[in-house]
Amino acid sequence: MTVKVMTNAQTIRSNEDKKYLINRLKTIAGQVKGVSEMIEQDRYCNDILIQISAIEKSLKGVANEILKSHLATCVVTKIKNDELDIIDEIMELVRRLD
Amino acid sequence: MTVKVMTNAQTIRSNEDKKYLINRLKTIAGQVKGVSEMIEQDRYCNDILIQISAIEKSLKGVANEILKSHLATCVVTKIKNDELDIIDEIMELVRRLD
Amino acid sequence: MTVKVMTNAQTIRSNEDKKYLINRLKTIAGQVKGVSEMIEQDRYCNDILIQISAIEKSLKGVANEILKSHLATCVVTKIKNDELDIIDEIMELVRRLD
Amino acid sequence: MTVKVMTNAQTIRSNEDKKYLINRLKTIAGQVKGVSEMIEQDRYCNDILIQISAIEKSLKGVANEILKSHLATCVVTKIKNDELDIIDEIMELVRRLD
């Protein structure tokens, strides 16, 4: 696993939020495993691709949850502290997520 | 795991192709697990989102491999057999993968 | 206007198809002009961005129409003639349109 | 032209910024016109689709410019004024632009 930009920054999350996000990621891991099994079973390409598009939607959903809480916490705090380089950080992220 | 459209159709793949795709999916499963750990460790949202965008790229890569072999095998065969409803199937897929 | 790959290949279209596509492109040109006017009028960024996302959807719609007829005509013909380099051409296009 | 959400809000832009954005939109309008001409001339579908993908990239570029200045001005101001419903507005935009 490669992480392109790595910081030591932290975002404290409630146990509830953590559990919620980790559960959604478990579902995604299950979907990925499901695709492996479809390949193992010689399933039809089109069905596999539809399943991959479902994983993409699930991932996008998790990313949007994290982005929303990022904006509501880290970004709001930084802007109030006049740490406006957060704007460039968001824009880099937007370009990456496009 | 929900599969929106489910068929009994099969696509026979070589053992080599299967192993290659399944390995790539194992890497993706590892990336998904990595994101869970980042959340567990209260890692910075932006870093997590960058990592999710890396997973999206990996998934897109696998999808493109499967799409390419789909076109080269199933689609070519069907078109040569004048089973042209394959065009609508591809278009539905394109809209889904957008 | 830059065209990255330029060929002399032709695709004959019916007058009806041409008119239909050109009308849709006229609508898109109108939407682009509308965005210029919004900027001229100091309209709120968010409203402008929503309008740009509408243009993206319109463009995607036209692209999908052209892709569908491309598959149904050029691609079917080439595959039946065993000109299978069309597969690579489609995959290059898919990566570009991602 | 339909604008899905319409507000009376304003964003004052410098003449320089306006000119820059309007020029980029003029280029896009020219690209759209170019695609119409390609259809008129029965040009090859694949070439037209490549050109449409170039328009999508141009549009995305303009959208990103506007988004960046939106974040740096409107969003910073609203967050400093504790008008935090701007977060929901951004998230709605992100979902739309996906």
Side-chain angles (χ1 to χ4, degrees):
Chain A
M1 191 187 70
T2 54
V3 176
K4 267 158 207 141
V5 174
M6 198 65 137
T7 69
N8 292 316
Q10 292 253 308
T11 306
I12 306 304
R13 294 177 183 82
S14 71
N15 281 334
E16 201 184 340
D17 282 0
K18 282 186 190 180
K19 211 176 274 181
Y20 174 70
L21 290 171
I22 288 170
N23 270 339
R24 288 185 67 165
L25 288 163
K26 249 181 219 157
T27 305
I28 292 172
Q31 287 176 304
V32 173
K33 196 159 172 288
V35 170
S36 275
E37 288 164 3
M38 291 174 89
I39 289 168
E40 200 71 76
Q41 296 157 10
D42 285 324
R43 293 281 302 280
Y44 183 44
C45 316
N46 191 61
D47 292 345
I48 295 177
L49 289 167
I50 289 171
Q51 186 55 22
I52 291 179
S53 84
I55 302 178
E56 286 173 354
K57 275 199 191 59
S58 304
L59 262 180
K60 186 72 78 187
V62 172
N64 281 350
E65 290 288 341
I66 296 175
L67 179 59
K68 191 177 173 176
S69 85
H70 180 47
L71 294 171
T73 57
C74 320
V75 174
V76 165
T77 306
K78 290 202 172 180
I79 285 177
K80 289 196 170 179
N81 288 340
D82 270 323
E83 300 172 49
L84 297 184
D85 49 345
I86 188 74
I87 305 294
D88 291 323
E89 194 187 275
I90 297 173
M91 286 309 300
E92 203 203 306
L93 190 66
V94 165
R95 278 184 213 101
R96 223 184 261 269
L97 290 172
D98 260 358
Chain B
M1 191 188 70
T2 54
V3 176
K4 267 159 209 142
V5 173
M6 198 67 138
T7 67
N8 291 317
Q10 293 253 307
T11 304
I12 306 305
R13 292 176 186 83
S14 71
N15 281 333
E16 201 184 340
D17 281 0
K18 281 187 190 181
K19 211 176 274 182
Y20 172 71
L21 290 170
I22 288 171
N23 270 338
R24 288 184 68 165
L25 288 162
K26 251 182 216 158
T27 305
I28 292 172
Q31 288 177 304
V32 173
K33 198 160 172 287
V35 169
S36 275
E37 287 164 4
M38 290 174 89
I39 288 168
E40 201 71 75
Q41 297 158 10
D42 284 324
R43 295 282 300 283
Y44 183 44
C45 316
N46 192 61
D47 292 345
I48 295 177
L49 289 166
I50 288 172
Q51 186 54 24
I52 291 179
S53 85
I55 302 178
E56 285 173 355
K57 276 198 192 58
S58 305
L59 262 180
K60 186 71 77 186
V62 172
N64 282 351
E65 290 288 340
I66 296 174
L67 179 59
K68 189 177 174 175
S69 84
H70 180 48
L71 294 171
T73 57
C74 318
V75 175
V76 165
T77 306
K78 290 202 172 178
I79 286 177
K80 288 194 172 181
N81 288 341
D82 269 324
E83 300 171 50
L84 297 185
D85 49 346
I86 188 75
I87 305 292
D88 292 323
E89 193 187 275
I90 296 173
M91 286 310 300
E92 203 204 306
L93 190 65
V94 165
R95 278 184 213 101
R96 222 184 262 271
L97 291 172
D98 260 0
Chain C
M1 191 187 70
T2 55
V3 175
K4 267 158 209 142
V5 174
M6 198 67 140
T7 69
N8 291 317
Q10 294 254 308
T11 305
I12 307 304
R13 294 176 184 81
S14 71
N15 280 334
E16 199 184 340
D17 282 359
K18 281 187 190 182
K19 210 176 275 182
Y20 173 70
L21 290 171
I22 288 169
N23 270 337
R24 288 185 66 163
L25 288 162
K26 249 182 219 155
T27 305
I28 292 172
Q31 288 176 304
V32 173
K33 198 159 170 289
V35 169
S36 275
E37 288 164 4
M38 290 174 90
I39 288 167
E40 201 70 79
Q41 296 158 10
D42 286 323
R43 294 283 301 282
Y44 182 46
C45 317
N46 192 62
D47 291 345
I48 295 178
L49 289 167
I50 288 172
Q51 187 53 24
I52 291 179
S53 84
I55 302 178
E56 285 173 356
K57 275 200 191 56
S58 305
L59 262 180
K60 185 73 76 185
V62 172
N64 281 350
E65 290 287 341
I66 296 175
L67 178 59
K68 190 178 172 174
S69 86
H70 180 46
L71 294 171
T73 57
C74 317
V75 174
V76 165
T77 306
K78 289 202 172 179
I79 285 177
K80 289 195 171 179
N81 288 341
D82 270 323
E83 300 172 49
L84 297 184
D85 49 345
I86 187 75
I87 305 292
D88 292 323
E89 193 186 275
I90 297 173
M91 286 310 300
E92 203 203 307
L93 190 66
V94 165
R95 279 186 212 100
R96 224 183 260 271
L97 291 172
D98 261 356
Chain D
M1 191 187 66
T2 54
V3 176
K4 268 158 209 142
V5 173
M6 197 68 137
T7 68
N8 291 318
Q10 292 254 310
T11 305
I12 306 304
R13 293 177 184 81
S14 71
N15 280 334
E16 200 184 339
D17 282 359
K18 281 187 190 180
K19 210 175 275 181
Y20 172 70
L21 290 171
I22 288 171
N23 269 339
R24 287 184 66 165
L25 288 162
K26 249 181 220 157
T27 304
I28 292 172
Q31 287 176 304
V32 174
K33 197 160 173 288
V35 170
S36 274
E37 287 164 4
M38 289 174 90
I39 288 168
E40 200 70 76
Q41 295 157 11
D42 285 323
R43 294 282 301 282
Y44 183 43
C45 317
N46 192 60
D47 291 346
I48 295 178
L49 289 167
I50 288 171
Q51 187 54 23
I52 291 179
S53 84
I55 302 178
E56 285 174 356
K57 275 197 191 59
S58 305
L59 262 180
K60 185 72 77 185
V62 172
N64 281 350
E65 290 288 340
I66 296 174
L67 179 59
K68 190 178 172 171
S69 85
H70 180 46
L71 294 171
T73 57
C74 320
V75 174
V76 165
T77 305
K78 290 203 171 177
I79 285 177
K80 289 195 173 182
N81 288 341
D82 271 322
E83 300 172 49
L84 297 185
D85 49 345
I86 187 75
I87 305 292
D88 291 324
E89 193 187 275
I90 296 172
M91 285 309 302
E92 202 203 307
L93 189 65
V94 165
R95 278 186 214 99
R96 222 184 261 271
L97 292 172
D98 260 356

